[in-house]
Amino acid sequence: MGVPSLGPRVRCWMLVAFAAALLAPHALAQDAPGRRQVVVLNSTRLDDQFSVTWSRELPTLLGEGLSEGVDFYAEYFDFVRYGRPEHENAYLDLLRLKYGERRGTRVDLVIVIGALAVDFMNRHRNDIFPDVPVVFYSLLPSPRRMANSTGLLNPIHFGRSIDLALALQPDLKHVYVVTGRSADDKRYESQARAEFRSFERRLEFTYLSGLPMQDLEQRLGALPPHSAVYYVVLREDGAGERFQVMDSLSRVASAANAPTYSWADSAAPTGIVGGTRRNQLAQTEAIATLALRVLSGERADSIPVFTLNTDVEQVDWRQLSRWGIAESRVPAGAEVLFRNPTAWDRYKRYIVGAVVIVFAQTALIAGLLVQRLKRRRVELALRGSQSRLNDSYDRIRQLSRQLLLEQDAERARISRELHDDINQQLALLSIELDGLRSDRLPESSATRVFEAMKTAQGILKSVRELSHRLHPPRLTPDGLVRSLGLLCRELTPPRVSIAFRHSDTPAELDQSVALCLFRVAQEALMNAIKHSGARRISVDLTSDPSSVALTIADDGRGFVVDGVPNGGLGLLSMRERVESVGGRLELHTPESGTCVRVTVPIHGEEPMPVEAAV
């Protein structure tokens, strides 16, 4: 699109508008004394992609590197659309008006970006910034180095994009090169031709130079198979229409029926497949590094101009899909832009977290299942052990019962021997001694016979009592009461009282139950007399319709069973006797004394649960 020349009125209007903008930087400079003043002259518009990058990053980098702070001013010269002499004069007047001598305010550094701005600065350096150091950045070598300046050159490399095209299109045969007719367009075209010569043995190059945009679009829409388009630069077409680089590049890529490649910087979609481009952030950081060296006190002339290479390979994922180019052909290290994020890209953290949780839960469940299996095996083993233990316990109980029966049988035999044999002999001896008394004996002999008879009678009584203790007569309910009363009287030692009480004695009582109660009372009384030091002992016999209870309590010192429910041999014997008739023995040891309580069924039922309270 052509741009008409500016008349005097338009020019004056522009100057007035720019003069109004002058007040803002001037106020900032006055309000912030000591801050460094930096002016940037840029060749392109504000919306140019590289302009967007450096205008965002450069003030931050300079501010971080300067402790005193920086005031940053940027001027954008759209030389593509406004490149006539009268436009240049208007730019010059604007800079004079904004940055001329203003009451001590001084610009500390001028940063010039782009070859067109560098040429402008070379022509008008003495008019606007005569003594200010300059840092420049250009894609092309400067015709001459300005005084008190340094900079960096970042030349374009066209051939590397052809290497990328061959990697993405192995069957590529034809390359159509697009350039414009302006002087800069022709200069870039000459460089491209020189770099493409190394590829001419493999590829056929056709240069579409200086065509009107409509003719160019028609040619690009009818390219043969196995073709690619390479955009060098088109700022002015054959009809004299001027374009921004991104605008003409987008039209070329849209019109072509083959993939389009270019070197042009672009972080925005233009329709090209890709190319070897400059890393805009690296470019900005390099400019900031040079600027900080100058602002820190180095003279610009002492810093050599150096060449920078920030080329990176970039491809547009959407254009790969459009032209059916497999992403696997993208060379290693190349950046893939505009890729539609996959579910993995979008939810990678959640997926990884969910997988970790699932694996953790799976491991936990597996561990629980293994633990459950082990527990079941242990339970089965324990059940088997318990079963064997129960069998052993039953056998032991049977043996214990058998032992008790044998013990009682042996006691009964001994009791009968004492009663039927020894007791009878002692009775005969007593009768014989009594008969000797009737004979006339000397006084001394009669006395000795009398003493012997009394001794024999005492032994006879003791043997009879021992016989009864070993095996009492048939223990009917009344017989049990008499036997317990007799036992209490026989075992009562000096200075100890044994009180026997009974109530509600059952009318019927199994002989085995009565014998059990008698033996428990006998063992408990003997233990209390021998070991407790008690002064008072009580024996209580009570009953209800289904059971008989015997309680033996003393006021002695008591004892501790050391946490073993079965206690010593005497307690073990009592417990086995009680369990053999289905009863329950309880042992209480309060702060003083001991209490033994036995509860047994009247008719000797199945064994009751065994309990011991301490």
Side-chain angles (χ1 to χ4, degrees):
M1 178 184 299
V3 179
S5 61
L6 296 176
R9 293 183 178 179
V10 176
R11 180 178 173 183
C12 292
W13 177 85
M14 290 178 60
L15 291 176
V16 172
F18 288 140
L22 175 65
L23 297 176
H26 179 71
L28 288 173
Q30 294 298 325
D31 292 340
R35 294 170 64 87
R36 311 308 293 271
Q37 312 295 312
V38 178
V39 177
V40 179
L41 304 182
N42 186 49
S43 299
T44 61
R45 301 182 308 185
L46 176 63
D47 58 351
D48 178 77
Q49 189 58 47
F50 183 44
S51 298
V52 173
T53 301
W54 68 253
S55 63
R56 181 184 65 245
E57 302 294 338
L58 193 55
T60 302
L61 294 172
L62 295 181
E64 292 175 350
L66 295 171
S67 60
E68 60 268 40
V70 60
D71 290 329
F72 191 85
Y73 313 112
E75 304 295 340
Y76 299 90
F77 301 150
D78 191 353
F79 287 112
V80 174
R81 293 189 296 176
Y82 306 112
R84 297 181 181 180
E86 58 269 27
H87 300 152
E88 185 170 323
N89 292 333
Y91 294 144
L92 185 59
D93 292 340
L94 171 65
L95 294 178
R96 285 172 179 165
L97 184 61
K98 295 181 69 173
Y99 302 103
E101 293 296 332
R102 295 184 284 110
R103 296 183 181 181
T105 301
R106 176 179 176 81
V107 176
D108 297 294
L109 177 66
V110 176
I111 300 175
V112 185
I113 299 177
L116 296 177
V118 172
D119 291 341
F120 176 85
M121 191 66 175
N122 269 326
R123 291 192 298 272
H124 304 289
R125 168 73 177 278
N126 293 331
D127 293 333
I128 47 177
F129 302 109
D131 300 322
V132 180
V134 175
V135 171
F136 62 84
Y137 170 82
S138 178
L139 303 181
L140 298 173
S142 177
R144 61 184 177 86
R145 182 176 179 178
M146 294 173 281
N148 194 19
S149 70
T150 187
L152 54 93
L153 304 175
N154 192 6
I156 302 171
H157 303 96
F158 299 108
R160 297 176 184 177
S161 295
I162 300 300
D163 289 327
L164 177 61
L166 287 170
L168 298 178
Q169 296 177 253
D171 59 349
L172 181 62
K173 297 179 180 179
H174 310 285
V175 177
Y176 293 84
V177 183
V178 176
T179 61
R181 76 170 190 178
S182 70
D184 286 338
D185 295 345
K186 293 299 182 182
R187 183 166 48 184
Y188 283 120
E189 180 183 342
S190 299
Q191 180 183 346
R193 285 179 180 271
E195 293 189 25
F196 291 162
R197 288 192 183 99
S198 61
F199 297 96
E200 289 179 351
R201 291 184 179 181
R202 182 175 178 181
L203 301 173
E204 178 185 353
F205 288 87
T206 302
Y207 291 86
L208 305 178
S209 307
L211 297 177
M213 180 58 74
Q214 291 183 352
D215 295 343
L216 177 63
E217 289 175 337
Q218 291 179 358
R219 288 286 305 273
L220 293 175
L223 301 179
H226 311 295
S227 297
V229 177
Y230 190 89
Y231 174 93
V232 177
V233 67
L234 197 163
R235 290 195 177 98
E236 184 179 351
D237 68 357
E241 186 176 359
R242 301 179 69 84
F243 298 90
Q244 285 290 332
V245 172
M246 293 298 106
D247 294 337
S248 58
L249 175 57
S250 297
R251 292 186 63 172
V252 167
S254 178
N257 65 343
T260 302
Y261 300 86
S262 179
W263 59 272
D265 296 325
S266 177
T270 55
I272 66 172
V273 173
T276 300
R277 300 166 172 174
R278 276 81 46 82
N279 186 321
Q280 296 177 353
L281 183 58
Q283 294 173 166
T284 304
E285 291 174 347
I287 295 171
T289 300
L290 277 181
L292 288 172
R293 291 179 63 181
V294 174
L295 291 171
S296 298
E298 291 190 53
R299 183 170 175 79
D301 288 340
S302 66
I303 304 174
V305 177
F306 67 96
T307 301
L308 181 69
N309 182 7
T310 61
D311 288 351
V312 292
E313 290 182 335
Q314 295 178 337
V315 295
D316 188 327
W317 181 85
R318 296 169 301 180
Q319 299 304 317
L320 294 178
S321 302
R322 172 189 174 188
W323 298 106
I325 300 174
E327 188 175 346
S328 59
R329 295 178 183 174
V330 176
E335 297 180 8
V336 181
L337 306 178
F338 311 114
R339 178 192 278 116
N340 287 337
T342 62
W344 171 255
D345 295 327
R346 291 179 179 178
Y347 309 110
K348 176 169 60 178
R349 293 182 179 179
Y350 302 102
I351 294 174
V352 171
V355 170
V356 170
I357 292 174
V358 169
F359 273 112
Q361 290 179 340
T362 302
L364 180 60
I365 293 172
L368 292 175
L369 291 176
V370 171
Q371 186 67 22
R372 180 183 178 186
L373 180 60
K374 291 182 177 179
R375 187 179 66 183
R376 285 186 175 180
R377 290 177 178 174
V378 172
E379 287 177 352
L380 290 176
L382 288 176
R383 288 176 183 175
S385 300
Q386 185 67 32
S387 178
R388 291 190 295 272
L389 182 61
N390 290 337
D391 293 341
S392 300
Y393 179 70
D394 291 339
R395 287 195 296 271
I396 291 172
R397 288 186 61 185
Q398 292 294 335
L399 291 175
S400 177
R401 291 172 183 171
Q402 186 65 29
L403 179 61
L404 291 174
L405 293 176
E406 294 294 334
Q407 185 182 42
D408 288 334
E410 183 64 16
R411 285 181 174 181
R413 186 186 67 77
I414 295 173
S415 176
R416 286 193 298 271
E417 290 291 334
L418 290 175
H419 184 272
D420 297 340
D421 186 7
I422 297 177
N423 197 30
Q424 296 298 328
Q425 295 180 22
L426 287 173
L428 292 175
L429 176 60
S430 179
I431 294 171
E432 289 294 332
L433 290 174
D434 187 48
L436 289 176
R437 289 179 60 190
S438 62
D439 296 336
R440 293 183 178 182
L441 296 175
E443 183 69 25
S444 59
S445 297
T447 301
R448 292 179 63 184
V449 169
F450 179 74
E451 292 296 332
M453 185 185 67
K454 288 177 61 177
T455 301
Q457 290 177 350
I459 294 174
L460 178 63
K461 181 180 179 182
S462 298
V463 170
R464 186 182 299 107
E465 291 175 354
L466 176 61
S467 175
H468 288 166
R469 286 199 299 271
L470 286 175
H471 188 72
R474 179 171 180 81
L475 295 175
T476 62
D478 293 337
L480 175 62
V481 171
R482 287 195 301 271
S483 297
L484 289 176
L486 179 60
L487 179 66
C488 291
R489 290 192 298 273
E490 292 177 351
L491 295 180
T492 300
R495 296 184 296 278
V496 176
S497 65
I498 300 178
F500 172 63
R501 296 183 294 272
H502 60 90
S503 63
D504 300 328
T505 305
E508 296 182 1
L509 192 66
D510 282 358
Q511 179 71 15
S512 60
V513 173
L515 180 59
C516 171
L517 293 175
F518 179 82
R519 294 301 184 196
V520 169
Q522 188 179 39
E523 183 70 29
L525 287 172
M526 294 179 65
N527 287 338
I529 293 170
K530 291 181 180 179
H531 306 296
S532 70
R535 294 299 184 90
R536 290 186 295 274
I537 303 174
S538 63
V539 179
D540 296 306
L541 180 66
T542 60
S543 67
D544 57 33
S546 61
S547 63
V548 181
L550 176 66
T551 303
I552 301 97
D554 63 66
D555 61 353
R557 67 179 64 93
F559 69 96
V560 179
V561 194
D562 295 331
V564 181
N566 291 329
L569 292 176
L571 182 60
L572 177 62
S573 175
M574 288 191 292
R575 191 180 302 279
E576 289 178 349
R577 282 189 176 276
V578 172
E579 291 178 1
S580 67
V581 294
R584 179 176 65 245
L585 183 144
E586 299 175 76
L587 175 65
H588 300 276
T589 57
E591 295 182 358
S592 63
T594 303
C595 178
V596 178
R597 181 177 177 81
V598 176
T599 305
V600 294
I602 291 177
H603 300 292
E605 298 176 356
E606 288 297 318
M608 300 173 66
V610 178
E611 298 179 3
V614 178

